[in-house]
Structures are given as C-alpha cells and as structure tokens.
Amino acid sequence: MINQGFILTAAEMRAAEEAVMAGGVSVDTLMQRAGNGAAQWIWRTGGDSETLVLCGPGNNGGDGYVIAQWLLQRGVPVRVGALADPSTEAAKHARSLYQGAVTSLSEAKPASQMIDCLFGTGLSRGLSNEVQTHLQSLAGAAHRRIAIDLPSGVDSDNGTLLSAVPEYDLTITLGALKPAHILLPA
C-alpha cells in the first residue's frame, strides 16, 4: 500500500516509482526528470560555481550524471568523482550521456560546490572508512554542499547516521520527503 501523505519510506518510494513505471514512464525518464529538476535548483542557487558531483554506482549516482550534464550544458565548470562504474541500466545510460570529465572518487579534487549523489534512499549500511574519508575531505573543502535525496550515510527510514555524515547546506529530495528528513539525528 502506498502512503497517501508526503513522507514515504524506502519501500513506499519504490512502490510509488514502480506504479509510475507500470503506467508507462521509464526509469530513464524518471531519472532525467529528477536530475534536471535538481540541477535547475542547484543552478538557480549556485550559479556557475565550479562544481564537483560525487556519483555512486546506483540510481542516485545516475541522477548525479544527469545533474552534471545539465550544468555542463549551461557552461558550469563541472566534474564527476565516481565511486564505481554504474551498476544499474538507468545509471549506465545516464553516464553514457554525460560529456564531461570523470575521475575516481579517490582522485577527485575539491570544488567550490559539491553535490553528493553517492547513495540515496534505501541505504542500509555505513560507508567504508575510505569513502567516508574522501567524502569528508571534499565536503570540508567546498563552500557549498548539497545532498541529492539524502546525505550519503543516512538511513532514509529512521534518520539514523550509519556513518559519519558531513554537514550539508541543502538537501534536494526526489519524489517525496523521507522519514530521515524530519527525524533526528539526520
């Protein structure tokens, strides 16, 4: 059953996405819409600030590639730091459309603005020490930090910090609020 409110658990969000896809909207289309919408917010509030987008292997990372391409097309100096190659078909497709530079997360250089698209809704384990270290370092060097859907390292259903989480200036949620957006400590 889908929650009729504005706050959805990870399972409810998956069910909502599946219902939309059952209606004929592809996951690629959903990803393009989500990424483009987030990119517009980022551009309106951050302008042409040098931007580093951190992309994970899943669909949150796919959203990141869409964001990076949208910003790149508007002349924003943007780079992607990838944790791993995309693992979902939609993320692979989004990566194939991105025309800018990609480095590994471990080689990513700081930028004035950092976008966290490493992990999103449904994360159930903490980040590795290596990923935490890189994320904290890159976030600490950025003047502006934005998380897409949820900060990486947060449990979306209960707000638990699964690992150390940098302080973010803005979180852009996709689809609906998650319990973590209103629960402590997240």
Side-chain angles (χ1 to χ4, degrees), residues 17 20 37 65 68 74 76 113 142 151 174:
E17 289 171 345
V20 170
Y65 289 110
R74 272 120 195 111
V76 175
Q113 178 168 253
L174 304 177

Side-chain angles (χ1 to χ4, degrees), residues 62-87:
D63 295 331
Y65 289 110
V66 173
I67 291 166
Q69 181 60 28
W70 194 97
L71 293 172
L72 185 69
Q73 289 175 325
R74 272 120 195 111
V76 175
V78 63
R79 295 173 276 116
V80 167
L83 176 60
D85 288 333
S87 62

Side-chain angles (χ1 to χ4, degrees), residues 86-153:
S87 62
T88 68
E89 290 306 312
K92 289 175 185 176
H93 183 249
R95 168 60 185 102
S96 75
L97 298 175
Y98 174 59
Q99 299 171 349
V102 178
T103 62
S104 68
L105 177 65
S106 62
E107 296 174 354
K109 303 292 183 220
S112 177
Q113 178 168 253
M114 185 198 81
I115 315 299
D116 175 2
C117 297
L118 292 172
F119 297 99
T121 302
L123 183 68
S124 60
R125 68 189 181 325
L127 306 179
S128 71
N129 288 337
E130 180 182 0
V131 171
Q132 281 184 65
T133 298
H134 291 302
L135 178 58
Q136 292 285 354
S137 175
L138 293 166
H143 292 103
R144 189 161 187 263
R145 294 156 299 280
I146 300 169
I148 301 302
D149 210 21
L150 289 159
S152 294

Side-chain angles (χ1 to χ4, degrees), residues 162-186:
L162 302 169
S163 52
V165 175
E167 185 175 320
Y168 288 86
D169 301 300
L170 175 67
T171 296
I172 300 172
T173 189
L174 304 177
L177 288 173
K178 304 344 177 257
H181 293 125
I182 62 167
L183 295 173
L184 294 174

